[in-house]
Amino acid sequence: MTKTLAVVVAHPDDDTFGCSGTVALHADDPGFRFVLIHVTSGEAGRIADPSLATPETLGAVREEEDRASWIALGRTPDRHEFFRYPDHRVEDHPFDELVERIAMVLQAERPDAVITFGPDGITGHPDHIATGKAATEAFHRVRERSPGEGFSRLLHQAIPRSMLDEWNRRLVAAGKDPMDPTQLYQPRGVPDEEVGVLIDCTPVVDRKLAALEEHRTQAGDMEDMQEEERRMALAAESHVIAWPERAPGAAVVADVFEGL
Ligand SMILES: [Zn+2]
């Protein structure tokens, strides 16, 4: 039986952090289909090493880095779309047009589960928030206008607050500044009881690290972290179940498709 996962993110590397472990865990599952949408190509991002890209080429370079990251992980998307909206300006673009572009892909693929950003955008990044809002709207639009297969679960990526607290304890213990969730581009946490899906990616964390290394223009993103902390941060992928409504206190599931 086929199970399709669609992931809608803003930038090349959002996918590596947020869902590559889940994909690696399903890599050998013959019924697994993986659809990936990038709303932007990240062309306004950092260039860690000027020999890798210029501001003019960064978007194309980051698309290639993303493709390479999935090859390094060992499972490439079955369908991979780059919408090439302007990086850092997704929210300035007509919202309805973005919703419809995402909806067209979702309608064709009828995924069982969709992962995107929630209202915190993980780091408060406006592109993440706008992308999550559009993908959430697209999910419901297609689900309501053409009922049928798929659309069983909408997930919003989220970091359990206890995990963020643990990272901060470790950073402070190492004499570093803790992350501050009130600042833009710093990770936010959600109350642990709101997390409905918690995936243990420990068995595939090496593959996730290999995938992350391919984002060479973004090297240094996790440089504040020790190796052990970096592995810890990558070893869990967690989500709030945005739809259907989850009963308070319901059991946390260990896979995006569990129970579907
Ligand atoms: Zn991003």
Side-chain angles (χ1 to χ4, degrees), residues 49-216:
D49 173 349
S51 72
L52 297 171
T54 66
E56 289 69 37
T57 64
L58 185 59
V61 168
R62 292 192 68 184
E63 289 183 12
E64 277 313 306
E65 288 179 340
D66 200 82
R67 290 189 188 97
S69 78
W70 290 105
I71 292 167
L73 185 93
R75 177 64 162 87
T76 55
D78 299 293
R79 176 173 181 172
H80 194 172
E81 303 262 350
F82 284 97
F83 286 177
R84 303 194 176 111
Y85 276 51
D87 186 18
H88 275 74
R89 303 208 322 272
V90 174
E91 64 183 343
D92 300 340
H93 218 80
F95 178 70
D96 207 61
E97 184 201 284
L98 177 56
V99 173
E100 275 306 313
R101 284 198 67 182
I102 297 169
M104 276 174 63
V105 177
L106 298 184
Q107 178 127 18
E109 296 289 344
R110 304 206 68 91
D112 297 279
V114 174
I115 296 176
T116 190
F117 292 106
D120 69 3
I122 295 284
T123 59
H125 195 309
D127 282 353
H128 294 184
I129 294 169
T131 295
K133 197 173 158 199
T136 297
E137 172 71 21
F139 176 94
H140 291 301
R141 215 176 262 189
V142 180
R143 186 178 64 75
E144 284 161 16
R145 76 184 170 202
S146 62
E149 287 292 292
F151 299 91
S152 303
R153 187 175 275 164
L154 174 65
L155 301 174
H156 286 163
Q157 282 180 49
I159 302 170
R161 192 158 290 154
S162 62
M163 199 177 292
L164 202 60
D165 291 346
E166 174 62 18
W167 292 344
N168 276 341
R169 262 195 299 278
R170 285 165 179 256
L171 283 169
V172 171
K176 292 175 185 147
D177 288 334
M179 295 176 280
D180 178 356
T182 67
Q183 297 299 306
L184 192 58
Y185 308 134
Q186 295 272 307
R188 279 84 171 118
V190 300
D192 284 34
E193 59 272 20
E194 290 178 19
V195 172
V197 181
L198 185 57
I199 301 152
D200 177 10
C201 301
T202 310
V204 293
V205 81
D206 286 327
R207 292 168 69 173
K208 215 171 154 176
L209 278 163
L212 204 55
E213 257 183 42
E214 294 296 330
H215 295 281
R216 299 184 198 284

Side-chain angles (χ1 to χ4, degrees), residues 11 13-14 128:
H11 312 109
D13 81 356
D14 293 341
H128 294 184

Side-chain angles (χ1 to χ4, degrees), residues 17 167 170-171 176 205-206 208-210 212-213 219-236:
F17 284 110
W167 292 344
R170 285 165 179 256
L171 283 169
K176 292 175 185 147
V205 81
D206 286 327
K208 215 171 154 176
L209 278 163
L212 204 55
E213 257 183 42
D221 260 356
M222 298 180 92
E223 70 188 358
D224 276 356
M225 290 183 172
Q226 305 287 339
E227 172 73 14
E228 190 195 343
E229 294 159 351
R230 195 175 302 146
R231 298 182 79 88
M232 190 181 90
L234 294 172

